[in-house]
Amino acid sequence: QVRVVESGGGLVQPGGSLRLSCAASGSVFMIHDISWYRQAPGNQRELVARVTSSSATDYADSVQGRFTISRDNAKNTVYLQMNSLKPEDTAVYYCQVVVGTSRFRESVYWGQGTQVTVSS
């Protein structure tokens, strides 16, 4: 089993910055993709950013140029640096870890989420 724990959320003013962390532990011998999703009340959960095992990255259009995802394989940790935050970034942010459990099989694990609130 894999445990996924997010941290770093909090309250910040518009234009401010936060850095989220996602740490994976347990059976993490072969981590594939790690992604950040977010969900605001009444909204659908949406993909924010993703980093693959080859370090390729993808971002939602709404955060492109403001957010940066990075990966530390030695620590099994991924970070999401969020700059120029806007009120519409307010949401619970979830980390998703995709683990290869066999040659053609993957398992998906989710963290509990961390609250990000952008407000003046």
Side-chain angles (χ1 to χ4, degrees):
Q1 298 296 306
V2 174
R3 185 187 183 200
V4 180
V5 179
E6 305 99 334
S7 62
L11 175 65
V12 66
Q13 295 189 153
S17 298
L18 284 174
R19 187 180 70 171
L20 306 183
S21 298
C22 171
S25 60
S27 301
V28 290
F29 301 108
M30 183 65 71
I31 296 179
H32 291 171
D33 299 346
I34 302 179
S35 301
W36 285 99
Y37 288 76
R38 67 186 182 187
Q39 188 168 24
N43 287 38
Q44 185 177 184
R45 185 172 296 189
E46 63 175 344
L47 176 67
V48 177
R50 174 171 56 230
V51 59
T52 70
S53 58
S54 62
S55 298
T57 58
D58 294 294
Y59 298 94
D61 289 342
S62 59
V63 307
Q64 183 72 48
R66 299 188 297 121
F67 291 10
T68 303
I69 189 169
S70 61
R71 183 170 180 170
D72 186 337
N73 291 329
K75 297 181 179 179
N76 291 321
T77 300
V78 68
Y79 305 95
L80 185 67
Q81 179 66 46
M82 306 186 295
N83 298 325
S84 302
L85 284 162
K86 305 174 181 179
E88 48 264 48
D89 295 318
T90 296
V92 178
Y93 284 70
Y94 297 92
C95 184
Q96 180 203 68
V97 178
V98 179
V99 178
T101 56
S102 66
R103 185 173 181 180
F104 300 110
R105 188 178 182 89
E106 295 180 332
S107 294
V108 180
Y109 298 89
W110 292 87
Q112 294 294 316
T114 185
Q115 176 71 49
V116 172
T117 303
V118 184
S119 177
S120 59

